């Protein structure tokens, strides 16, 4: 009895020590198990999606392609197929299937391998979500022991539904797809909730070895994927989820063939159509929120881009390049914006994003300084706008197109001709150089550059005092150039190019939302804007045919030796800039027209073409784009003349005012109206003004009867 009592005491003591030890071990291994909030599906890294303004996905960005969805949005077919394949005792085990584990250990020991496995769904969640990547990949006994204990602990803390949801949102399905939603989209272009039995059973087999079971890989990988699918279907038959005949019918269908065909038809990552715009968005997000947010944050970025307009712009840039290829043109660009608030509707940065020979990945719309270019005569608009604003000239002022010697330097025009003294309106419409040079000289460069910067162009002008600045040799951003022109269109407000309408986190929290009225700054009067718009209708009427009768304004620009030609302009609700040029990848110019570069050394960047005017771009690229755009959009109403713009009669002699017999012209009320009578302001060498003889008064006669 004494021996029995001593034995009982020893056994009891050992049990207590063992219990305490067990508690200590569990506490040691499971004490750092994260809370449910730390491992819940919403906190997993997720795919960021860039969408156009209509909600169409432009591109997905990720380190792991994943879109977290609740379990109720995952097909029950996939849930059942996964459980039948990975863990048939899922709903009855405690996180560890000890019977299955023992069989796996016995198999591995007898076969000297570690291939059979025995992990439950819960253990796989522990491995994928709780353990760090280094520990998860280790094959030590202590790691497996920790995994078992953590799985048991997870079962006590979480429901089976929560564990299954975590599993189906974390597991790797191959081809970059993590989680059921990404897998359904990657392989079948459907949502996880819409998977059929065939699709669900196929996906359920992939996580075991996604690199081996690849339907988009080699012939051997496709064969392995089909073999794995067959085994999953057999498992579903075994557990009674589908019948044998149904499984055979699914397997003998055309699922894999259709999957492969659809995959080949899909555009590759970084679609060249939108690649420049996506690059722009990526940089925007990285600067504001960081790289991790871009690739792991599951952001939903709704942009300003309209894919239909984008495709149209891309088509006409490529068409223009093809049209003038024999003149040396090999690339071009187009930017389309809303002139009211700067929303970018289309951005074509080059004629071929993946074409290294033309430095295709450089964005020539100028959102990156690498793509800034000279703008030629389209710069003259700022010269005339500043002079009109200061009351130095009026639209009816006669400007010098007679003398080319300015400040001791001789200048010539694009056609080598002189038209004498012509009105500002005519000079702008015909893009005459000498009148712009003389106007710039008269008003001074500081006034012009000041206006330019007020309108939002940030480029540094190399020689503000030099009158040749008005011919547009300085490299500026096409995007800023178009935004500056938009101020003439929108009532005088400075705008900036905008690419994002809304950004939301995976949780639905809005990070930013575009407010078109926020920070609006009026930098010129609506009156000046209207006068400039009316003047800019002249080039359209002269060169762009039927568009001359529409509410359309614009201006051409041609740089020295035809290194770049641009047409830029707007309607009341659309602003467009388009350009064509030649660019080479290397340091030398290979266009065949380098000999035209008489005032600068030609290079890959500064490469002359044959004769190519901005008007050519207007006719071939800009005009057809505008015409097609308005086949699906209603034409806006014509601009309304504001109260600060008045119509007066002037004479053609010197632009002075007359009471009758003159021509109608518009003026800025007060500062911009003609303040001298006709004949009082002749230019040098002009013959004296001779007033017209009064018309004889017709003899009085009896009125003729008129019909009622």
């Amino acid at each position: 009895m004494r021996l029995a009592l001593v034995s009982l005491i020893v056994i009891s003591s050992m049990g207590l020590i063992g219990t305490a030890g067990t508690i200590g071990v569990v506490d040691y291994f499971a004490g750092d198990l994260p809370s449910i909030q730390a491992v819940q599906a919403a906190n997993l890294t997720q795919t960021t999606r860039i969408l156009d303004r209509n909600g169409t996905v432009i591109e997905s960005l990720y380190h792991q392609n994943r879109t977290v969805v609740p379990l109720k949005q995952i097909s029950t077919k996939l849930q059942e197929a996964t459980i039948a394949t990975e863990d048939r005792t899922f709903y009855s085990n405690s996180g560890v299937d000890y019977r299955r584990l023992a069989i796996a250990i016995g198999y591995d020991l007898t076969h000297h391998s570690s291939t059979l496995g025995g992990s439950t769904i819960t253990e796989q969640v522990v491995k994928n979500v709780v353990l760090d990547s280094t520990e998860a990949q280790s094959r030590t006994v202590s790691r497996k022991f920790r995994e078992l204990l953590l799985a048991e602990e997870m079962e006590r803390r979480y429901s089976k539904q929560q564990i299954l949801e975590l599993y189906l949102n974390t597991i790797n399905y191959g081809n970059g797809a993590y989680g059921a939603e990404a897998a359904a989209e990657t392989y079948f272009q459907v949502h996880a909730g819409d998977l059929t039995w065939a699709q669900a059973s196929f996906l359920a087999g992939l996580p075991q070895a996604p690199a081996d079971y690849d339907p988009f890989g080699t012939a051997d990988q496709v064969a392995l994927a089909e073999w794995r699918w067959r085994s999953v279907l057999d498992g579903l038959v075994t557990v009674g989820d589908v019948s044998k005949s149904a499984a055979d019918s699914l397997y003998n269908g055309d699922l894999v063939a259709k999957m492969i065909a659809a995959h080949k038809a899909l555009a590759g990552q970084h679609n060249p159509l939108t690649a420049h715009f996506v690059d722009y968005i990526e940089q925007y997000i990285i600067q504001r929120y960081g790289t991790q947010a871009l690739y792991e944050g599951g952001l939903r970025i709704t942009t300003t881009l309209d894919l239909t307009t984008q495709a149209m712009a891309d088509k006409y840039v490529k068409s223009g390049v093809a049209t003038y290829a024999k003149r040396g043109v090999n690339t071009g660009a187009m930017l389309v914006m809303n002139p009211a608030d700067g929303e970018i509707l289309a951005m074509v940065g080059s004629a071929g994003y993946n074409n290294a020979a033309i430095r295709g990945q450089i964005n020539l719309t100028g959102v990156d300084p690498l793509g800034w270019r000279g703008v030629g005569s389209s710069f003259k608009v700022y010269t005339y706008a500043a002079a009109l604003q200061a009351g130095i000239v009026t639209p009816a002022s006669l400007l010098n197109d007679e003398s080319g010697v300015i400040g001791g330097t001789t200048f010539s025009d694009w056609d080598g001709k002189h038209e004498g003294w012509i009105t500002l309106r005519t000079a702008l419409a015909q893009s005459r150089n000498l009148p712009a040079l003389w106007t710039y000289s008269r008003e001074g460069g500081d006034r012009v550059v000041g206006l330019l910067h007020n309108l939002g162009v940030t480029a540094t002008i190399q020689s503000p005092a030099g009158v040749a600045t008005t011919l547009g040799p300085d490299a500026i951003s096409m995007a800023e150039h178009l935004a500056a022109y938009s101020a003439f269109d929108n009532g005088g407000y400075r705008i900036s190019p905008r690419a994002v309408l809304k950004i939301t986190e995976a949780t639905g929290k809005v990070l930013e939302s575009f407010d078109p009225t926020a920070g609006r700054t009026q930098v010129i009067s609506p009156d000046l804007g209207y006068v400039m718009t009316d003047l800019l209708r002249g080039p359209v009427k002269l060169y762009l045919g039927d568009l001359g009768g529409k509410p359309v304004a614009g201006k051409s620009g041609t740089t020295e030796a035809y290194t770049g030609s641009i047409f830029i302009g707007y309607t009341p609700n659309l602003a467009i800039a388009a350009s064509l040029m030649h660019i080479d990848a290397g340091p030398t110019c290979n266009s065949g027209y380098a000999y035209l570069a008489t005032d600068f050394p030609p290079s890959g960047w500064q490469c002359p073409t044959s004769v190519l005017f901005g008007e050519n771009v207007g006719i071939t690229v800009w005009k057809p784009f505008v015409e097609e755009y308005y086949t699906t959009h209603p034409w806006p109403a014509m601009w309304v003349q504001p109260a600060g713009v008045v119509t007066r009669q002037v004479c053609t002699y010197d632009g002075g005012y007359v009471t009758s017999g003159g021509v109608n012209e518009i003026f800025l009320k007060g500062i911009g109206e003609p303040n001298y009578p006709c004949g009082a302001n002749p230019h040098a060498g002009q013959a004296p003004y001779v007033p017209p003889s009064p018309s004889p008064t017709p003899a009085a006669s009896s009125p003729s009867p008129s019909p009622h």
Side-chain angles (χ1 to χ4, degrees):
M1 290 180 64
R2 183 180 299 171
L3 181 62
L5 182 59
V6 171
S7 299
L8 179 62
I9 292 172
V10 171
I11 292 171
S12 298
S13 299
M14 290 178 66
L16 289 172
I17 294 171
T19 301
T22 301
I23 293 172
V25 170
V26 172
D27 182 66
Y28 175 78
F29 280 105
D32 60 350
L33 186 68
S35 66
I36 183 65
Q37 289 77 22
V39 297
Q40 64 183 345
N43 288 328
L44 298 171
T45 62
Q46 298 192 53
T47 298
T48 288
R49 284 179 170 77
I50 301 174
L51 299 85
D52 88 333
R53 65 188 305 110
N54 301 308
T56 302
V57 175
I58 298 173
E59 190 154 319
S60 300
L61 304 171
Y62 51 83
H63 288 147
Q64 294 182 353
N65 182 14
R66 178 188 289 115
T67 300
V68 173
V69 293
L71 190 63
K72 64 183 178 180
Q73 292 183 19
I74 299 176
S75 167
T76 56
K77 296 180 178 66
L78 180 60
Q79 297 179 40
E80 293 171 15
T82 299
I83 292 170
T85 304
E86 295 291 332
D87 186 2
R88 293 180 187 175
T89 65
F90 173 68
Y91 283 112
S92 59
N93 66 47
S94 61
V96 180
D97 187 336
Y98 288 102
R99 176 178 175 276
R100 184 181 175 196
L101 180 62
I103 294 172
I105 292 173
Y107 179 91
D108 291 344
L109 289 174
T110 57
H111 289 76
H112 304 286
S113 68
S114 57
T115 58
L116 187 60
S119 296
T120 63
I121 285 175
T122 307
E123 288 176 77
Q124 292 183 62
V125 170
V126 169
K127 185 177 180 180
N128 293 332
V129 180
V130 179
L131 302 181
D132 63 49
S133 58
T134 302
E135 184 180 7
Q137 296 303 318
S138 68
R139 292 182 175 274
T140 63
V141 174
S142 63
R143 194 278 296 171
K144 187 64 179 179
F145 186 50
R146 174 173 161 81
E147 179 185 300
L148 298 178
L149 289 176
L150 289 173
E152 294 266 11
E153 185 66 14
M154 179 169 276
E155 288 280 342
R156 285 190 285 271
R157 297 192 188 187
Y158 310 144
S159 70
K160 290 288 187 181
Q161 297 297 95
Q162 288 173 321
I163 293 171
L164 184 59
E165 181 178 298
L166 277 168
Y167 177 85
L168 290 172
N169 276 296
T170 56
I171 200 69
N172 180 10
Y173 286 92
N175 282 288
Y178 286 76
E181 179 70 6
E185 292 177 345
T186 297
Y187 292 101
F188 303 112
Q189 297 79 55
V190 300
H191 292 296
D194 300 326
L195 292 166
T196 64
W197 263 122
Q199 295 166 340
S201 58
F202 186 89
L203 292 182
L206 298 180
Q208 185 188 66
D212 296 330
Y213 308 141
D214 184 0
F216 307 143
T218 65
D220 289 342
Q221 289 173 310
V222 175
L224 281 172
E226 291 178 330
W227 171 84
R228 177 60 175 165
W229 181 30
R230 177 75 258 187
S231 67
V232 172
L233 289 170
D234 291 343
L236 289 171
V237 173
T238 300
V239 299
D241 285 338
V242 298
S243 66
K244 179 67 165 61
S245 60
D248 292 341
S249 177
L250 294 174
Y251 185 75
N252 292 324
D254 57 359
L255 177 78
V256 175
K258 282 187 174 180
M259 189 192 323
I260 295 173
H263 178 73
K264 290 180 178 178
L266 289 175
Q269 188 100 4
H270 228 43
N271 185 348
L273 175 65
T274 54
H276 287 107
F277 185 75
V278 168
D279 286 346
Y280 183 46
I281 293 294
E282 286 182 11
Q283 291 304 310
Y284 177 85
I285 298 299
I286 289 172
Q287 290 173 7
R288 292 179 69 89
Y289 303 104
T291 301
Q292 185 174 359
L294 178 65
Y295 291 104
E296 299 180 5
L299 303 179
R300 183 181 177 89
I301 307 167
T302 302
T303 70
T304 59
L305 197 77
D306 180 79
L307 279 175
T308 301
T309 305
Q310 176 72 13
M312 194 186 310
D314 185 71
K315 176 178 71 173
Y316 286 113
V317 168
K318 288 181 169 63
S319 173
V321 170
T323 298
Y324 294 113
K326 291 184 178 180
R327 299 195 192 184
V329 172
N330 68 357
T331 192
M334 181 182 283
L335 188 68
V336 184
M337 288 169 40
N338 180 339
D341 55 22
E343 293 178 47
I344 297 172
L345 303 176
M347 175 187 284
V348 180
S350 73
Y353 182 83
N354 294 319
N355 186 348
I358 61 170
R359 308 191 197 203
Q361 294 187 11
I362 301 299
N363 192 335
L364 297 174
T365 65
V367 293
D368 180 334
L370 285 174
W372 291 13
R373 307 286 295 186
V375 296
S377 291
S378 62
F379 190 97
K380 295 173 183 174
V381 171
Y382 305 119
T383 297
Y384 290 130
L388 287 165
Q389 186 179 51
I392 296 172
V393 294
T394 75
S397 295
L398 295 183
L399 305 180
N400 188 350
D401 193 36
E402 185 173 77
S403 172
V405 180
I406 304 174
T409 301
T410 300
F411 296 92
S412 61
D413 223 313
W414 54 269
D415 58 357
K417 299 178 181 179
H418 298 272
E419 294 190 1
W421 290 78
I422 56 177
T423 65
L424 186 156
R425 182 178 291 278
T426 300
L428 180 59
Q430 296 182 5
S431 196
R432 305 299 298 174
N433 286 347
L434 298 182
L437 290 162
W438 280 109
T439 303
Y440 192 95
S441 174
R442 181 180 175 188
E443 63 185 319
D446 289 344
R447 189 187 301 276
V448 178
V449 175
L451 174 65
L452 180 76
H453 289 161
N454 281 340
L455 291 172
V457 176
T458 61
T460 299
I461 302 303
Q462 298 303 313
S463 180
V467 296
T469 295
T470 193
L471 303 181
D474 293 282
I476 67 176
S477 163
M478 175 193 279
E480 292 180 352
H481 193 30
L482 184 59
Y485 264 60
S486 295
F488 301 130
D489 188 15
N490 66 21
Y493 291 95
R494 180 175 60 228
I495 63 169
S496 299
R498 301 290 182 181
V500 173
L501 291 176
K502 190 176 184 181
I503 301 176
T504 58
E505 290 183 324
T507 60
K509 177 184 176 182
V510 177
L511 295 179
E512 65 176 85
S513 183
F514 178 52
D515 180 359
T517 63
R520 293 190 76 191
T521 303
Q522 189 155 23
V523 291
I524 61 172
S525 70
D527 308 328
L528 177 61
Y530 180 85
V531 171
M532 288 306 305
T533 295
D534 192 68
L535 291 170
L536 286 170
R537 293 191 65 206
V540 176
K541 293 176 180 178
L542 192 60
Y543 298 110
L544 301 188
D546 293 343
L547 288 186
K550 302 287 188 180
V552 179
K555 181 72 182 72
S556 63
T558 308
T559 54
E560 174 71 21
Y562 312 108
T563 56
S565 300
I566 186 173
F567 198 93
I568 179 171
Y570 50 84
T571 72
N573 61 7
L574 202 66
I576 316 103
S579 66
L580 294 174
M581 66 197 76
H582 185 105
I583 293 177
D584 287 314
T588 59
C589 171
N590 299 317
S591 69
Y593 299 96
Y595 65 89
L596 294 176
T598 56
D599 296 330
F600 60 89
S603 67
W605 277 110
Q606 292 293 325
C607 191
T609 67
S610 181
V611 176
L612 184 74
F613 294 111
E615 289 80 5
N616 297 124
V617 180
I619 294 167
T620 307
V621 181
W622 201 90
K623 179 176 184 279
F625 170 83
V626 171
E627 289 175 331
E628 182 172 340
Y629 181 88
Y630 284 109
T631 61
T632 56
H633 298 78
W635 274 99
M638 190 67 73
W639 295 276
V640 177
Q641 183 169 319
V645 175
V646 295
T647 302
R648 297 285 185 263
Q649 279 199 21
V650 294
C651 69
T652 57
Y653 175 79
D654 59 2
Y657 60 80
V658 293
T659 56
S660 63
V663 295
N664 288 331
E665 183 57 273
I666 61 171
F667 302 93
L668 295 172
K669 189 175 183 179
I671 61 169
E673 295 180 71
N675 55 10
Y676 55 87
C678 182
N681 191 30
H683 58 76
Q686 188 174 13
Y689 174 66
V690 178
S693 301
S695 301
T697 303
S701 59
S702 300
S704 301
S706 59
H708 293 286

